[in-house]
Amino acid sequence: MVFFSGSFHFTSLAGCSRPLSLFLQPMFAEVIIPLALPKNYTWHIPDPMLDMISVGCRVEVNLGKNKKYAGIVKRIHNDAPTSFAAKDIINVLDPEPVVQKYQLQFWEWMADYYMCSEGEVMAAALPAHFKLSSETILVFNEEYGDDFSSLDNEEYLVAEALLMKHELRLTEVQQILDLPHVYPIVNKLIGKKICFVWESLKQTFNPKKETFVLLNHEYDNEDKLSELLNNWGRAPKQMELLLGYLHLVKTQGEVTKTELLKKSGASDAQLKGLVEKEILRIEKRSVDRLVYAPKDVNVDFELTPAQQEAYNKLQNLLQEKQVCLLHGITSSGKTHLYIKLIEQYIRRGEQVLYMLPEIALTSQIIRRLQKHFGGHIGIYHSKFSQNERVEIWNKVKTGELKIVLGARSSLFLPFLDLGLIICDEEHDTSYKQQDPAPRYHGRDAAVYMASLTASKVLLGSATPGLETYFNAKNDKYGLVELTERYREVKLPSIEMVDNRTIAHRPGEKIMISPQLLDEIKQTVFNHKQVILFQNRRGYAPYQVCTVCGWIAQCRNCDVSLTYHKFSNKLKCHYCGNVYPPMNTCQACGSDKLAQRNFGTEKIEEVLDTELKDVKIGRMDFDTVRNKNAHDVLIQQFEQKKIDVLVGTQMVVKGLDFDNVDLVGILDADGLLHFADFRVNERAFQLMEQVSGRAGRMDGKGKVMIQTMNPAHPVLQHVAQHDFLAMYKEEIEKRKQFFYPPFSRIINIHFRDKERDVAFDAAHSFAKALDITWGKYIVGPAEPVVNRVRNMFLMEMLFKLPKDRQLIHACKKDILKECANLHNIKRFKKVIIVPDVDAI
């Protein structure tokens, strides 16, 4: 459901010199609660709470009959609602604000720009433990994991929604299942420990407690301690435990109970005996869940002349411009410039946000940053537990953490004194949130947030997004170009492997050509490493009956099922449903099923057969699901425990390996055959980025690209490492067909369980807006995949001129028409999703 966000008047009275309790008129609070409400609700502030409440703090409020929520106070005012009687705020939950005032402005902008509600932004921004729940809310049990293969369809739908949103109201469960009575299903999920229900409103963040062992104060005196040890009688085990304790205190300072018992081999009873004799004492303390290194700044490297020139230019431009683009070719040492800039900002006492497009990238870069900045740096992303997130939130809010490394969600942290935002690999599509709302772009949101915090933004990439490079070329952003590799190492040579010249069966794709296989063998023989890139996970993307042509498809989506040999399952990569392997055709009954195309699993299997005694690794979504799995795999490759690494685009993104001499792109054609105006840009970015993993140390790298069309213009640009030629070619096409950066696009998605309803809703919507906006509308039409999770899809596209007032008016009319459409009985359940700046 789409709603129009309420207006924002940041006229808080909380900062007045007189206490609020001195105001005679009733006082009210506009409160954001984590629901998709069309506008923020207003509650009355009871007199006893007037001196306790402030903008940015959490309050407990009641909405409806028995639904309690924790909301954030956005505005305090004396404007009594005229259309309803305001309810009292139940309780003030915080003695001081949990969010900064600029964050509330940021949330409001995000809701307005990305066409969602402030409640949805709040739900995305706050750690779950800051969002208190009542008896009507289900909470996902994160310990369960994300394997829902044992659930039936209804249980699966609710579990998946919980995995994405972390918590659901029972009314939302009713909407998901389209059933009035959902308690039997909820009870099953609770019984399977997938979720739990809170019976009362309560805070879930509890500081982690650790039991420390200390010497009794009497024995702080060395003479007293010597006397005790010299006159020890019985209980030799207790004596050993005491001596072990004294050794640990001397070598590491504080001693925890767990560590003492483990290292001394003593029992709990022996420790209890020393406590009862008042020799040792026990003390419980709150401790950090995350272990931080000692705080230190040690930038111990010198920039090359080319890097120094770029750094000087960056410093000058950042004084003039709020946003700068650092366009440095692969392995040019952009991270060195980032580190130098970070040092400059934290020595001034300011905070730095270092953004990466994916969690996967944090494991390698964090080790580099910790070497230079120690405990000044913290990490923030979705793989952390909710308790860990709250701890980082609080450390950022107090200014204790100076550097935060994180994915797009780290933008929501409450920075105290933010000076610089680094958006590395800024071109990456992972910066764009898809579902649920807010569907924001991390890079663009960072630029707006910097305007609120008076901070600077540095965008970095070897293959910038066309819109970003266009802005830099037109002087909206500063531009610094780094055109040589670190230590003048040469770019890798590119060789096209023309698959048309290789004998193969009709309809069968060549996986690894003889030329590439020979190069792999030679590279491994030379004690160098290989990366093979194929942007499909699994074993075989689809199975087809060779008799009648039937293809195994998902029951809930109009897509083929991918065979995963490791788990021996067929999986849908759209809805996640898992099926047993099929051995006979469901249409004609034939057992002549063939596996077509190839994924990373199949490549790994073929390499295991072809390359004896060669260590093969695989990096894709299936192998790096756990919190530390990616880091373990990266370290194994760094330590040369893996000779050949097969991977999806995870291996493309900014990873730095010294020993890689060969990169193979196994299916370049698969990257170029998408119905999308950005297809050439993205294909170039992926291939250029993966090519940049080769020869980073000695310049002897080689890249082999397998293709059926080596003359394709994009492949020619990749062969020459010519970003500028690709940019000029693509920017002309964008201008000709009025695509970004010459326009702004809004994609509207329609979803319904009935195909005709989705079709009619989309056409009715387009007809209603045709008079005013018809010349900017493309569609509606069915997308290539027109059914996902049993919902039929329709799409329409708005291509709007870059006129702020016109775009605002269009968004307003779109939201108004959403409301009108939902008032028609037939279209009441149609889900309408606007995606601003869709990618």
Side-chain angles (χ1 to χ4, degrees), residues 293-311:
K295 291 183 178 179
D296 188 27
V297 178
N298 178 30
V299 179
D300 55 356
F301 60 84
E302 295 295 326
L303 298 176
T304 66
Q307 288 176 329
Q308 188 64 53
E309 183 182 347
Y311 179 68

Side-chain angles (χ1 to χ4, degrees), residues 74 149 191 264 316 331 342 412 429 452 527 581 592 611 648 663 665 682 684 737 801 806 838-839:
K74 177 180 176 181
S149 56
S264 66
N316 292 333
S331 194
I342 292 169
F412 293 119
T429 56
L452 298 176
H527 304 291
K592 292 179 171 55
L611 305 173
T648 58
V663 166
I665 298 173
R682 288 185 185 158
F684 178 88
F737 295 104
L806 183 142
I839 59 171

Side-chain angles (χ1 to χ4, degrees), residues 4 115 807-817:
F4 187 41
M115 301 174 71
I807 292 170
H808 180 76
C810 184
K811 287 179 179 178
K812 191 173 180 179
D813 284 354
I814 289 171
L815 292 167
K816 183 179 177 181
E817 188 52 36

Side-chain angles (χ1 to χ4, degrees), residues 8-16 20 27-32 45 49-59 71-77 89 92 94-105 107 397:
F8 179 79
H9 306 285
F10 207 81
T11 54
S12 166
L13 299 178
C16 293
L20 287 173
M27 299 300 295
F28 300 89
E30 180 185 340
V31 179
I32 307 169
I45 307 173
M49 297 182 192
L50 285 171
D51 295 336
M52 301 160 54
I53 198 167
S54 60
V55 169
C57 73
R58 291 178 305 155
V59 290
I72 298 286
V73 176
K74 177 180 176 181
R75 184 170 73 101
I76 297 171
H77 57 90
I89 289 173
V92 178
D94 302 300
E96 59 183 38
V98 295
V99 298
Q100 313 282 12
K101 288 188 178 182
Y102 81 83
Q103 289 180 277
L104 297 174
Q105 294 173 287
W107 293 3
K397 183 171 175 285

Side-chain angles (χ1 to χ4, degrees), residues 478-733:
L479 175 62
V480 176
E481 308 222 47
L482 196 51
T483 56
E484 68 177 49
R485 277 185 148 189
Y486 185 58
R487 293 176 180 163
E488 300 182 354
V489 169
K490 292 181 180 179
L491 285 164
S493 61
I494 308 283
E495 180 183 324
M496 296 291 167
V497 179
D498 189 346
N499 283 349
R500 294 172 301 180
T501 64
I502 301 169
H504 60 281
R505 297 175 190 169
E508 189 175 277
K509 277 200 169 187
I510 294 167
M511 191 185 316
I512 301 174
S513 61
Q515 300 98 306
L516 178 57
L517 187 61
D518 289 343
E519 283 288 343
I520 293 171
K521 290 176 180 177
Q522 186 59 50
T523 303
V524 173
F525 179 78
N526 294 337
H527 304 291
K528 294 290 186 176
Q529 291 169 293
V530 180
I531 290 177
L532 297 179
F533 169 59
Q534 165 66 347
N535 212 22
R536 286 180 182 271
R537 62 189 175 98
Y539 188 83
Y542 64 98
Q543 286 183 317
V544 59
C545 174
T546 58
V547 176
C548 71
W550 174 84
I551 295 174
Q553 285 198 314
C554 177
R555 286 193 293 266
N556 299 325
C557 311
D558 280 341
V559 292
S560 59
L561 294 170
T562 299
Y563 178 59
H564 288 250
K565 192 169 185 179
F566 182 77
S567 58
N568 195 30
K569 300 284 186 185
L570 290 167
K571 294 183 181 179
C572 174
H573 287 177
Y574 277 74
C575 72
N577 264 9
V578 178
Y579 302 84
M582 295 183 186
N583 299 314
T584 56
C585 173
Q586 301 296 297
C588 70
S590 168
D591 61 358
K592 292 179 171 55
L593 296 179
Q595 293 166 346
R596 293 283 188 249
N597 215 325
F598 56 91
T600 50
E601 273 191 14
K602 191 170 185 178
I603 299 162
E604 183 183 27
E605 181 183 86
V606 168
L607 290 172
D608 274 332
T609 304
E610 294 284 346
L611 305 173
K612 301 297 183 184
D613 301 321
V614 171
K615 297 179 283 293
I616 314 294
R618 175 163 56 91
M619 185 190 295
D620 56 28
F621 181 77
D622 299 317
T623 60
V624 296
R625 288 188 177 216
N626 298 329
K627 182 175 176 180
N628 298 314
H630 185 272
D631 193 25
V632 170
L633 191 58
I634 291 296
Q635 289 194 52
Q636 285 177 340
F637 198 62
E638 285 177 333
Q639 295 161 8
K640 303 178 182 59
K641 294 178 181 177
I642 295 172
D643 299 311
V644 181
L645 181 62
V646 181
T648 58
Q649 56 184 295
M650 284 184 177
V651 302
V652 173
K653 302 183 179 182
L655 296 172
D656 188 2
F657 303 113
D658 292 342
N659 200 48
V660 174
D661 260 17
L662 177 66
V663 166
I665 298 173
L666 303 186
D667 184 18
D669 303 325
L671 303 174
L672 293 162
H673 295 160
F674 287 99
D676 189 293
F677 72 93
R678 300 184 198 270
V679 62
N680 288 347
E681 175 192 2
R682 288 185 185 158
F684 178 88
Q685 287 167 342
L686 277 170
M687 286 189 275
E688 182 64 17
Q689 287 282 346
V690 75
S691 299
R693 302 315 105 199
R696 294 173 77 91
M697 182 58 69
D698 55 16
K700 296 178 182 177
K702 185 173 185 177
V703 181
M704 300 184 74
I705 301 175
Q706 297 184 162
T707 175
M708 298 290 279
N709 185 14
H712 193 289
V714 171
L715 296 179
Q716 293 303 306
H717 297 324
V718 173
Q720 300 300 318
H721 301 287
D722 197 342
F723 169 82
L724 196 58
M726 183 278 298
Y727 168 79
K728 288 176 179 177
E729 191 173 290
E730 287 299 303
I731 210 75
E732 282 303 314
K733 293 176 184 175

